[in-house]
């Protein structure tokens, strides 16, 4: 049954068809309750009369519902309406491995990365007693967050649970039987159970399939990734089956000489004819691939002796960890109240391709019991949230967490909350799919109290509460304060009080507020990032973390503070440090006050030239219309500067907290700028002002904006303005540049719409929306009369229109993308192509770059320092204080 666009199955509104297969049709749909896009898989109506197919459909639902893994497609819901059965699954953006392989073999590092992810997914499924039975490239989706294993429609539940650790016999599953009850891989209608090129010999012979059958298929997939050709070829079903049963695949090294030496051993072992000769668990394969992915593993001979040597080395490593556990971790995790007598310091490294997202917001949290950390890591310019138990080696990716920031844990550490795409979300700390708590335009941190109430910091609003189960924000009036900008929220006194630092105050005042009354108590000056741990208030000051004895009942410091540790990363004025309630500290190592950036000119091939000016906290650079000057904000000095690229002069303009996004007027004589309360009579208001580029006149106020707003583009008689609205998240408005400077909403929905870029003729606007669940770039007429077109692929951000009107530039992570367009009569767009892939600052409120009028040069900024690539953990930090000695 084909579903029409706009029709519904329960709360799911059909958007468009996206695929079809033997198990039904798949549609992109919108969950109207949570306002997110999902994949809707529908069982065809004429299949409903088949008990076998219905059973297979139900089996897929049961199988998926029992698996929660970052590299397995998540099942959200199961439903039935008017005789139509359907599954609601995670909508995966990307391409299948099958589609990717049509372009040829993958690079060795890609083979290993994808292989490790799929092996880990199989390991998780096998541990639950599930065998996929149809593992093939078309059932593997390549997404920004990694490979995803899909379609468990042929999976069978094992007769006994399988612990995928190498112990015990593999559990078996039954194959389908023919009309006489004999085991056969072919149904009564001659439909093969699985796909022939990836079927194991035992499946072809009608024997039971177990987890080792999946490993055979996995070996065939690895072979195809490494060589670009299938392991077993033939002109017919029988010839392919014969090759699988009787022939060996050509060595990987013979087809692809540049492949790692050990890869052929791993693949050939997976492809062994006898299941007993294969690796016995997916975990074994994952370990082998992980070892090979390490640089030290590339030159070791591919032999069983080498494997045995690695096993011995791994054993020594496990023994070392065991000894460490005996010294401290075992005591700590066994009984966290019985502290050892010495301070223990551990390092948690991120993967080789990741770095901590410390250059954007707070990216680190520790659970109240000190047993788990959460962190936001960036890979290829894209950030996601991870959790990790301190007594385990592996981190867990939280799905649907792209662009996450400010993570924090529930009181018992079983949930982690974070902000992403204009929504506050919470997810199971072991890797569950997030659910939305509430929508909000901006976020500056939160804390989850024992009353199951979340207290959040909302820029331009202050403090607010929301039930952890979901609901609307309720503002907390803070006594004797017109407006605070809270940073580093932390509850104490059983959640009756919350401490924070006023981020924008000149003295960085740390205070505590009573949630029930708004009563305020001052705590410290020039201190940030409070935590409450082991009867102490921990805070960041002067490049170090300090601890002061604290009386929660009296809400005051009751002793002398002492330094706990130093060398803590502080970029964008947020210290990456957090502490548990029970004597555990976690922080990212780095440089205090790490805000200095350089300005670079970059050509279309990514070749860069650093401007010869002193490093400052530069953000939001913008080319003048003639391309000869650059306007840029120095955030730490709250100052706007104009850099003359030819004369080398620098003109200082507004210095009274000119906030973000300087935007040139078309004549190049003045700029529009977001200005906050220093110029305003009311402290709760902001304004859009116009100021002369030569600094000869004071800023002229054009429009007061009650919410946070940023001008993002000017063309013709309009300015595009990005407005943060508590009711609708972030929206795009158009400001008339003629008196009385009226504003009208261009795009105002529950989704996040931002970064509007007007075409040079002011007829079109490119902007970013996350309504699909992923940020994408769209173009629409400025009149809002429809005809919207998506021009980005695989995600997009920060669009910029080249002055000739024939090209749009946008970002995709660290990649700069270009789309050719024509706008004469109708809008038409070509295919997006990558210009270069280089790491530069992601930007603040608007963007971190601009493109010159001729489209040949980019102005970008980059920090002088690299982001942290490790997290340091201090166990029993209190033992290092003088009061304990």
């Amino acid at each position: 049954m084909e579903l029409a666009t706009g029709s519904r199955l329960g709360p799911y509104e059909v958007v468009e068809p996206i695929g079809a297969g033997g198990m039904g049709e798949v549609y992109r749909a919108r969950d109207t309750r949570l306002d997110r896009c999902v994949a809707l898989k529908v069982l065809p109506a004429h299949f409903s009369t088949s008990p076998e197919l219905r059973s297979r459909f139900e089996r897929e639902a049961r199988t998926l519902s029992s698996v929660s893994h970052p590299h397995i497609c998540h099942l959200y819901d199961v439903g039935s309406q008017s005789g139509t059965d359907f599954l609601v699954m995670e909508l995966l953006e990307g391409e299948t491995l099958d589609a990717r392989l049509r372009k040829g073999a993958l690079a060795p590092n890609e083979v290993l990365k994808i292989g490790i992810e799929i092996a880990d997914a199989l390991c998780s499924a096998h541990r639950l007693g599930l065998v996929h039975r149809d593992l093939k490239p078309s059932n593997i989706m390549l997404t920004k967050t990694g490979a995803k294993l899909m379609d468990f429609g042929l999976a069978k539940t094992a007769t006994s649970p399988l612990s995928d650790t190498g112990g015990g016999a593999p559990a078996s599953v039954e194959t389908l039987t023919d009309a006489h009850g004999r085991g056969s891989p072919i149904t009564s209608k001659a439909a093969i159970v699985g796909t022939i090129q990836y079927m194991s010999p035992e499946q072809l012979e009608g024997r039971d399939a177990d987890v080792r059958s999946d490993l055979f298929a996995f070996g065939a997939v690895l072979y195809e990734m490494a060589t670009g050709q299938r392991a077993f070829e033939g002109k017919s079903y029988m010839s392919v089956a014969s090759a699988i049963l009787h022939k060996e695949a050509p060595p990987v090294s013979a087809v692809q000489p540049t492949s790692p030496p050990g890869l052929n051993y791993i693949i050939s072992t997976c492809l062994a004819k006898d299941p007993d000769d294969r690796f016995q668990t997916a975990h074994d394969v994952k370990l082998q691939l992980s070892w090979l992915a390490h640089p030290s593993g590339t030159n070791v001979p591919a032999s069983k002796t080498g494997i045995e040597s690695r096993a011995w080395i791994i054993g020594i490593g496990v023994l070392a960890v065991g000894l460490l556990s005996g010294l401290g971790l075992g005591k700590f995790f066994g009984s966290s109240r019985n502290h050892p007598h010495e301070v223990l310091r551990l390092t948690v490294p991120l993967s080789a391709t990741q770095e901590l997202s410390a250059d954007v917001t707070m990216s680190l949290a520790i659970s109240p019991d000190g047993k788990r950390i959460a962190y936001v890591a960036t890979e290829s310019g894209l950030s996601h949230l991870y959790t990790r138990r301190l007594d385990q080696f592996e981190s867990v990716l939280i799905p649907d967490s792209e662009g996450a920031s400010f993570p924090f844990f529930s009181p018992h550490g079983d949930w982690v909350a974070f902000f992403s795409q204009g929504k506050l979300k919470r997810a199971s700390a072991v890797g569950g799919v997030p659910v939305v708590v509430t929508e909000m335009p901006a976020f500056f941190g939160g804390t989850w109290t024992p009353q199951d109430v979340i207290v959040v910091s909302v820029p331009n609003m202050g403090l607010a509460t929301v039930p952890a189960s979901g609901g609307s924000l309720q503002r907390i009036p803070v006594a004797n304060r017109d407006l605070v900008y809270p940073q580093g929220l932390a509850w104490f006194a059983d959640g009756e009080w919350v401490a924070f630092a006023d981020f924008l105050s000149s003295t960085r005042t740390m205070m505590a507020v009573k949630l029930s009354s708004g009563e305020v108590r001052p705590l410290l000056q020039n201190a940030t990032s409070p935590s409450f741990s082991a009867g102490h208030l921990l805070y960041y000051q002067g490049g170090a973390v300090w601890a002061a004895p604290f009386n929660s009942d009296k809400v005051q410091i009751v002793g002398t503070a002492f330094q706990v540790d130093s060398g803590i990363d502080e970029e964008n004025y947020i210290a990456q440090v957090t502490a548990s309630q029970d004597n555990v500290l976690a922080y990212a190592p780095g440089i205090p006050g790490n805000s200095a950036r350089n300005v670079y000119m970059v050509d279309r091939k990514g070749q860069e030239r650093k401007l010869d000016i002193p490093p400052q906290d530069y953000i939001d650079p913008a080319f003048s219309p003639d391309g000869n000057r650059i306007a840029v904000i120095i955030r730490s000095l709250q100052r706007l500067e104009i850099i003359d690229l030819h004369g080398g002069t620098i003109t200082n303009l507004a210095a009274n907290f000119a906030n973000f996004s300087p935007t040139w007027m078309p004549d190049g004589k003045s700029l529009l700028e977001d200005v906050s309360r220093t110029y305003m009579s009311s402290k709760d208001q902001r304004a859009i002002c116009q100021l002369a580029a030569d600094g000869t006149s004071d800023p002229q106020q054009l429009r007061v904006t009650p919410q946070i707003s940023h001008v993002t583009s000017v063309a013709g008689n309009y300015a595009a303005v990005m407005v943060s609205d508590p009711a609708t998240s972030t929206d795009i408005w158009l400001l008339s540049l003629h008196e009385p400077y009226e504003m009208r909403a261009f795009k105002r929905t529950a989704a996040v719409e931002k970064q509007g870029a007007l075409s040079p003729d002011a007829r079109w606007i490119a902007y970013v929306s996350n309504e699909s669940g992923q940020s994408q770039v769209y173009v629409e007429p400025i009149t809002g009369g429809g005809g919207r077109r998506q021009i980005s692929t695989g995600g997009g951000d920060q669009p910029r229109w080249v002055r000739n009107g024939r090209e749009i530039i946008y970002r995709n992570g660290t990649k700069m993308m270009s789309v050719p367009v024509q706008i004469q009569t109708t809008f038409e767009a070509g295919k997006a192509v990558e210009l270069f892939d280089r790491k530069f600052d992601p930007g603040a409120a608007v963007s971190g770059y601009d493109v010159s009028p001729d489209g040949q040069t980019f102005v970008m900024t980059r920090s002088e320092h690299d982001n942290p690539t490790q997290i340091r953990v201090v166990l029993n930090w209190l033992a290092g204080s003088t009061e304990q000695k």
Side-chain angles (χ1 to χ4, degrees), residues 332 344-348 356 362-375 388 390 409 529-531 533 538-540 544-545 564-569 575-590 868 870-877:
F332 176 74
L344 295 175
R345 289 179 167 84
L346 311 173
T347 296
V348 179
L356 208 64
M362 184 63 181
S363 59
L364 181 62
I366 191 167
S367 60
D369 60 9
K371 296 183 180 181
R372 194 186 306 270
I373 56 174
Y375 61 92
R388 176 169 173 173
L390 294 180
F409 282 95
S529 307
S531 296
S533 180
L538 272 67
Y539 58 92
Y540 180 85
V545 61
V564 178
D565 225 331
S566 60
I568 295 160
D569 186 88
Q576 304 293 320
V577 59
T578 178
S580 76
Q581 294 180 358
D582 202 12
N583 211 5
V584 184
L585 178 73
Y587 67 90
Q870 61 177 241
I871 299 167
R872 292 179 181 172
V873 179
V874 184
L875 306 178
N876 194 36
W877 58 264

Side-chain angles (χ1 to χ4, degrees), residues 488-816:
L489 276 60
W491 63 265
F492 65 96
D494 295 325
E496 185 179 359
W497 290 80
V498 167
F500 61 89
D502 189 354
F503 188 70
L504 297 184
S505 67
S506 58
T507 58
R508 305 295 287 276
T509 304
M510 183 178 291
M511 61 188 77
V513 61
K514 192 172 186 178
L515 298 181
S516 60
S517 64
E519 176 189 354
V520 173
R521 301 274 186 94
L523 298 178
L524 287 167
Q525 297 292 324
N526 295 312
T528 65
S529 307
S531 296
F532 293 90
S533 180
H536 288 69
L537 166 63
L538 272 67
Y539 58 92
Y540 180 85
Q541 185 181 74
V545 61
W546 299 75
F550 190 80
N551 187 314
S552 294
D553 294 330
K554 296 181 179 180
V555 193
Q556 64 183 27
I557 294 171
V558 293
T560 303
F562 61 93
Q563 182 174 308
V564 178
D565 225 331
S566 60
I568 295 160
D569 186 88
E570 183 200 16
E571 189 157 358
N572 287 351
Y573 319 104
I574 299 176
Q576 304 293 320
V577 59
T578 178
S580 76
Q581 294 180 358
D582 202 12
N583 211 5
V584 184
L585 178 73
Y587 67 90
I591 301 172
N594 186 8
S595 59
R597 291 167 169 77
N598 290 304
V599 180
Y600 294 85
M601 307 298 285
V602 187
D603 67 19
R604 291 175 71 92
K605 294 182 179 179
Q607 301 299 312
E608 62 186 55
R609 175 177 61 87
K610 185 172 68 174
L611 293 187
D612 187 19
I613 58 176
Q616 296 276 10
D617 185 17
Y618 294 116
I619 61 170
D620 293 340
F623 273 111
S624 62
D626 60 7
N628 294 328
R629 292 164 294 168
I630 294 172
V632 65
I633 297 291
I634 301 180
R635 180 173 44 182
S636 58
L637 301 178
Q638 302 176 356
R639 186 170 71 203
L640 171 63
E641 288 190 347
I642 305 295
I643 302 170
D644 189 321
L645 295 176
H646 296 300
T649 61
I650 297 178
T651 303
N652 297 327
L653 296 184
N656 290 3
F657 201 69
N659 192 359
F660 292 113
S661 67
T663 307
W664 290 88
M665 294 291 283
D667 60 7
K669 296 180 180 180
S670 61
L671 302 98
L672 296 186
E673 170 67 326
D674 312 332
V675 177
S676 71
R677 59 196 184 203
T678 303
Y679 289 125
M680 307 300 299
S681 58
S682 170
K683 291 186 177 182
D684 287 338
Q685 289 184 332
R686 307 168 71 93
I688 296 172
C689 293
Q690 184 172 356
L691 59 159
D694 59 6
T696 57
S697 60
D698 291 333
Q700 174 192 358
Q701 177 181 306
L702 302 186
R703 179 84 184 190
V704 172
T705 57
Q707 286 85 26
I708 297 175
S709 59
H710 304 297
V711 179
T712 58
S713 176
V714 172
N717 296 321
Y718 291 101
V721 184
M722 189 169 73
V723 178
S724 296
D725 190 331
T728 56
S729 192
T730 303
D731 310 308
I732 298 173
W733 289 63
L734 293 175
L735 169 68
S736 170
L737 296 180
H738 296 299
E739 289 190 272
Y741 305 109
E742 294 181 345
M743 287 181 64
R744 66 174 175 88
F746 167 75
K747 212 69 179 175
R748 190 169 186 256
T749 72
V752 172
E753 292 104 4
K754 58 182 181 178
Q755 299 162 355
L758 293 164
S759 64
D761 62 3
R763 293 176 55 232
W764 304 87
I765 183 169
Y767 64 93
V768 174
S769 173
N770 72 341
E771 67 177 68
S772 68
Q774 182 183 35
S775 291
Q776 299 283 8
V777 178
Y778 300 88
V779 172
E780 194 170 334
I782 195 173
T783 57
R788 186 181 71 164
R789 294 162 177 82
Q790 179 179 325
I791 66 167
S792 61
T793 57
D797 214 1
Q798 301 176 2
R800 285 285 185 270
W801 217 299
V802 176
R803 180 174 287 270
N804 61 18
R806 296 193 294 269
E807 183 183 16
I808 295 175
I809 305 291
Y810 69 89
R811 266 182 160 167
N812 185 346
T814 54
K815 297 177 181 178
M816 296 303 302

Side-chain angles (χ1 to χ4, degrees), residues 371-409:
K371 296 183 180 181
R372 194 186 306 270
I373 56 174
Y375 61 92
V376 182
T378 300
E379 188 169 3
S380 298
L382 301 175
S383 59
H384 293 87
L385 179 64
Y386 298 81
T387 62
R388 176 169 173 173
R389 281 188 59 92
L390 294 180
D391 59 350
Q392 296 180 2
F393 291 116
E394 301 293 334
S395 295
V396 176
L397 169 68
I398 301 297
D400 296 341
S401 64
E402 182 176 330
S405 63
F406 291 106
F408 56 97
F409 282 95

Side-chain angles (χ1 to χ4, degrees), residues 828-840:
E828 294 183 8
K831 182 180 180 181
V833 296
E834 178 184 327
L835 297 179
F836 60 86
D837 187 353
R838 298 293 299 273
K839 181 190 173 185
F840 289 96

Side-chain angles (χ1 to χ4, degrees), residues 251-269:
V252 172
S253 56
V255 183
Q256 191 63 265
T258 59
S259 63
L263 185 58
N264 190 71
Y265 169 79
I266 297 172
I267 292 176
S268 61
T269 304

